Amino acid sequence: MVEPKDMHQCQTTNCGYIYNPDKGDRKGKIAKGIKFEDLPDDWKCPVCGASTKAFKSLG
């Protein structure tokens, strides 16, 4: 089971989009509960298209 402390949000430095694991990414077909670290390698920001490398953890 994933602990709440492991479900931190990450924000892109490009457009400010915040990936929230509690919500997932409906547009990118990412289910709720998927941690940022577990996103597929080809996942991109649904707003600006940035890769996961352009995101920083919000803790």
Side-chain angles (χ1 to χ4, degrees), residues 39-44 51-52:
L39 288 171
D41 292 337
D42 62 350
W43 181 83
K44 304 277 190 232
S51 72
T52 56

Side-chain angles (χ1 to χ4, degrees), residues 6-41:
D6 294 330
M7 296 295 281
H8 61 274
Q9 297 178 7
C10 293
Q11 182 176 30
T12 178
T13 54
N14 294 346
C15 72
Y17 172 81
I18 296 174
Y19 175 76
N20 182 345
D22 291 331
K23 295 181 179 177
D25 173 20
R26 197 172 49 157
K27 187 175 179 183
K29 297 182 173 64
I30 303 297
K32 296 177 185 176
I34 301 296
K35 295 190 301 184
F36 186 80
E37 295 81 12
D38 295 335
L39 288 171
D41 292 337

